[in-house]
Short mmCIF file of all heavy atoms in Angstrom, two decimals:
data_model
loop_
_atom_site.label_atom_id
_atom_site.label_comp_id
_atom_site.label_asym_id
_atom_site.label_seq_id
_atom_site.Cartn_x
_atom_site.Cartn_y
_atom_site.Cartn_z
N PRO A 1 0.79 -1.26 -0.03
CA PRO A 1 -0.02 0.01 -0.05
C PRO A 1 0.84 1.30 0.04
O PRO A 1 0.51 2.25 -0.65
CB PRO A 1 -0.82 -0.17 1.29
CG PRO A 1 -1.07 -1.59 1.45
CD PRO A 1 0.38 -2.20 1.02
N SER A 2 1.91 1.28 0.76
CA SER A 2 2.75 2.51 0.84
C SER A 2 3.42 2.80 -0.54
O SER A 2 3.50 3.96 -0.99
CB SER A 2 3.84 2.36 1.92
OG SER A 2 3.20 2.31 3.16
N GLU A 3 3.89 1.73 -1.16
CA GLU A 3 4.54 1.89 -2.49
C GLU A 3 3.50 2.28 -3.49
O GLU A 3 3.72 3.10 -4.39
CB GLU A 3 5.15 0.55 -2.91
CG GLU A 3 6.37 0.20 -2.07
CD GLU A 3 6.78 -1.26 -2.31
OE1 GLU A 3 5.99 -2.13 -2.63
OE2 GLU A 3 8.07 -1.50 -2.10
N GLN A 4 2.27 1.79 -3.38
CA GLN A 4 1.22 2.25 -4.35
C GLN A 4 0.89 3.70 -4.19
O GLN A 4 0.77 4.43 -5.22
CB GLN A 4 -0.06 1.42 -4.06
CG GLN A 4 0.04 -0.08 -4.42
CD GLN A 4 -1.27 -0.77 -4.18
OE1 GLN A 4 -2.35 -0.23 -4.34
NE2 GLN A 4 -1.11 -2.08 -3.78
N MET A 5 0.78 4.18 -2.98
CA MET A 5 0.56 5.65 -2.75
C MET A 5 1.69 6.48 -3.30
O MET A 5 1.46 7.61 -3.93
CB MET A 5 0.36 5.90 -1.27
CG MET A 5 -0.84 5.30 -0.66
SD MET A 5 -2.46 5.69 -1.53
CE MET A 5 -2.72 4.22 -2.41
N LEU A 6 2.87 6.09 -3.14
CA LEU A 6 4.10 6.81 -3.66
C LEU A 6 4.06 6.79 -5.13
O LEU A 6 4.34 7.80 -5.76
CB LEU A 6 5.37 6.12 -3.10
CG LEU A 6 6.69 6.78 -3.58
CD1 LEU A 6 6.75 8.26 -3.18
CD2 LEU A 6 7.88 5.97 -3.01
N LEU A 7 3.70 5.59 -5.76
CA LEU A 7 3.71 5.55 -7.22
C LEU A 7 2.56 6.46 -7.73
O LEU A 7 2.77 7.11 -8.73
CB LEU A 7 3.45 4.12 -7.66
CG LEU A 7 3.42 3.84 -9.17
CD1 LEU A 7 4.87 4.23 -9.77
CD2 LEU A 7 3.13 2.35 -9.39
N ILE A 8 1.42 6.52 -7.12
CA ILE A 8 0.33 7.35 -7.55
C ILE A 8 0.80 8.85 -7.48
O ILE A 8 0.53 9.57 -8.48
CB ILE A 8 -0.93 7.25 -6.62
CG1 ILE A 8 -1.54 5.83 -6.85
CG2 ILE A 8 -1.91 8.34 -6.93
CD1 ILE A 8 -2.67 5.52 -5.88
N ALA A 9 1.53 9.24 -6.44
CA ALA A 9 1.97 10.59 -6.35
C ALA A 9 2.93 10.98 -7.45
O ALA A 9 2.89 12.00 -8.12
CB ALA A 9 2.62 10.84 -4.99
N ILE A 10 3.89 10.01 -7.79
CA ILE A 10 4.89 10.28 -8.74
C ILE A 10 4.25 10.31 -10.15
O ILE A 10 4.50 11.24 -10.96
CB ILE A 10 5.98 9.23 -8.71
CG1 ILE A 10 6.83 9.34 -7.39
CG2 ILE A 10 6.96 9.26 -9.91
CD1 ILE A 10 7.78 8.22 -7.16
N LEU A 11 3.39 9.34 -10.44
CA LEU A 11 2.81 9.32 -11.77
C LEU A 11 1.87 10.40 -11.98
O LEU A 11 1.73 10.92 -13.11
CB LEU A 11 2.11 7.88 -11.98
CG LEU A 11 3.04 6.68 -12.06
CD1 LEU A 11 2.20 5.42 -12.23
CD2 LEU A 11 3.98 6.84 -13.24
N SER A 12 1.11 10.89 -10.91
CA SER A 12 0.22 12.01 -11.08
C SER A 12 1.00 13.25 -11.41
O SER A 12 0.55 14.06 -12.21
CB SER A 12 -0.56 12.21 -9.72
OG SER A 12 -1.36 11.10 -9.49
N LYS A 13 2.14 13.43 -10.76
CA LYS A 13 2.97 14.66 -11.07
C LYS A 13 3.47 14.56 -12.44
O LYS A 13 3.41 15.56 -13.22
CB LYS A 13 4.20 14.68 -10.04
CG LYS A 13 5.09 15.88 -10.36
CD LYS A 13 6.27 15.84 -9.31
CE LYS A 13 7.12 16.98 -9.49
NZ LYS A 13 8.29 17.08 -8.57
N LEU A 14 3.85 13.42 -12.90
CA LEU A 14 4.32 13.26 -14.32
C LEU A 14 3.23 13.45 -15.34
O LEU A 14 3.40 14.12 -16.37
CB LEU A 14 4.94 11.84 -14.45
CG LEU A 14 5.85 11.54 -15.67
CD1 LEU A 14 7.02 12.60 -15.66
CD2 LEU A 14 6.42 10.17 -15.57
N ASP A 15 2.05 12.97 -15.00
CA ASP A 15 0.89 13.02 -15.86
C ASP A 15 0.43 14.55 -16.03
O ASP A 15 0.20 15.04 -17.06
CB ASP A 15 -0.25 12.24 -15.30
CG ASP A 15 -1.55 12.34 -16.28
OD1 ASP A 15 -1.47 11.82 -17.36
OD2 ASP A 15 -2.47 13.00 -15.77
N GLU A 16 0.47 15.24 -14.88
CA GLU A 16 0.12 16.71 -14.88
C GLU A 16 1.05 17.47 -15.80
O GLU A 16 0.65 18.41 -16.49
CB GLU A 16 0.04 17.25 -13.48
CG GLU A 16 -1.10 16.74 -12.69
CD GLU A 16 -1.01 17.22 -11.22
OE1 GLU A 16 -0.08 18.04 -10.96
OE2 GLU A 16 -1.80 16.74 -10.46
N PHE A 17 2.36 17.12 -15.74
CA PHE A 17 3.41 17.85 -16.49
C PHE A 17 3.11 17.66 -18.01
O PHE A 17 3.07 18.59 -18.77
CB PHE A 17 4.79 17.34 -16.15
CG PHE A 17 5.80 17.86 -17.05
CD1 PHE A 17 6.41 19.06 -16.81
CD2 PHE A 17 6.34 17.02 -18.06
CE1 PHE A 17 7.45 19.61 -17.61
CE2 PHE A 17 7.42 17.56 -18.90
CZ PHE A 17 7.90 18.84 -18.69
N HIS A 18 2.94 16.36 -18.36
CA HIS A 18 2.82 16.06 -19.83
C HIS A 18 1.44 16.61 -20.35
O HIS A 18 1.29 17.03 -21.52
CB HIS A 18 2.94 14.60 -20.10
CG HIS A 18 4.36 14.17 -19.81
ND1 HIS A 18 5.40 14.56 -20.63
CD2 HIS A 18 4.88 13.29 -19.01
CE1 HIS A 18 6.54 14.03 -20.26
NE2 HIS A 18 6.30 13.23 -19.18
N ASP A 19 0.35 16.50 -19.52
CA ASP A 19 -0.96 16.91 -19.93
C ASP A 19 -1.01 18.36 -20.21
O ASP A 19 -1.75 18.85 -21.07
CB ASP A 19 -1.95 16.52 -18.81
CG ASP A 19 -3.35 16.76 -19.27
OD1 ASP A 19 -3.82 16.11 -20.20
OD2 ASP A 19 -4.11 17.56 -18.63
N SER A 20 -0.22 19.17 -19.52
CA SER A 20 -0.23 20.63 -19.65
C SER A 20 0.27 20.98 -21.11
O SER A 20 -0.15 21.96 -21.70
CB SER A 20 0.72 21.33 -18.71
OG SER A 20 2.06 20.95 -18.90
N PHE A 21 1.13 20.14 -21.69
CA PHE A 21 1.52 20.35 -23.08
C PHE A 21 0.61 19.69 -24.08
O PHE A 21 0.33 20.20 -25.09
CB PHE A 21 2.94 19.81 -23.29
CG PHE A 21 4.01 20.56 -22.53
CD1 PHE A 21 4.50 20.05 -21.30
CD2 PHE A 21 4.57 21.69 -22.99
CE1 PHE A 21 5.47 20.69 -20.53
CE2 PHE A 21 5.54 22.39 -22.24
CZ PHE A 21 5.98 21.86 -21.06
N TYR A 22 0.09 18.54 -23.67
CA TYR A 22 -0.84 17.81 -24.54
C TYR A 22 -2.04 18.59 -24.83
O TYR A 22 -2.58 18.60 -26.02
CB TYR A 22 -1.26 16.45 -23.90
CG TYR A 22 -2.24 15.64 -24.69
CD1 TYR A 22 -1.82 14.93 -25.80
CD2 TYR A 22 -3.55 15.54 -24.29
CE1 TYR A 22 -2.72 14.19 -26.54
CE2 TYR A 22 -4.43 14.79 -25.06
CZ TYR A 22 -4.05 14.09 -26.17
OH TYR A 22 -4.91 13.33 -26.85
N ARG A 23 -2.52 19.42 -23.87
CA ARG A 23 -3.75 20.23 -24.08
C ARG A 23 -3.56 21.41 -24.99
O ARG A 23 -4.48 22.08 -25.39
CB ARG A 23 -4.20 20.74 -22.71
CG ARG A 23 -4.84 19.64 -21.85
CD ARG A 23 -5.31 20.13 -20.51
NE ARG A 23 -5.86 19.07 -19.67
CZ ARG A 23 -7.13 18.66 -19.78
NH1 ARG A 23 -7.91 19.21 -20.62
NH2 ARG A 23 -7.53 17.70 -18.95
N LEU A 24 -2.28 21.74 -25.34
CA LEU A 24 -2.00 22.83 -26.29
C LEU A 24 -2.25 22.39 -27.72
O LEU A 24 -2.30 23.24 -28.59
CB LEU A 24 -0.56 23.29 -26.09
CG LEU A 24 -0.12 23.78 -24.75
CD1 LEU A 24 1.34 24.14 -24.69
CD2 LEU A 24 -0.96 25.05 -24.40
#
């Protein structure tokens, strides 16, 4: 569970970064 939460946080940050460009 702890690793899952950490992975969610990391992947969410990465997704937000790329999505900001994708939406352009």
Side-chain angles (χ1 to χ4, degrees):
S2 295
E3 291 169 332
Q4 290 181 34
M5 295 303 103
L6 180 59
L7 183 60
I8 289 172
I10 292 172
L11 291 179
S12 295
K13 179 178 180 179
L14 198 56
D15 180 69
E16 289 173 6
F17 172 80
H18 292 296
D19 187 61
S20 66
F21 293 99
Y22 179 75
R23 290 180 180 276
L24 297 176

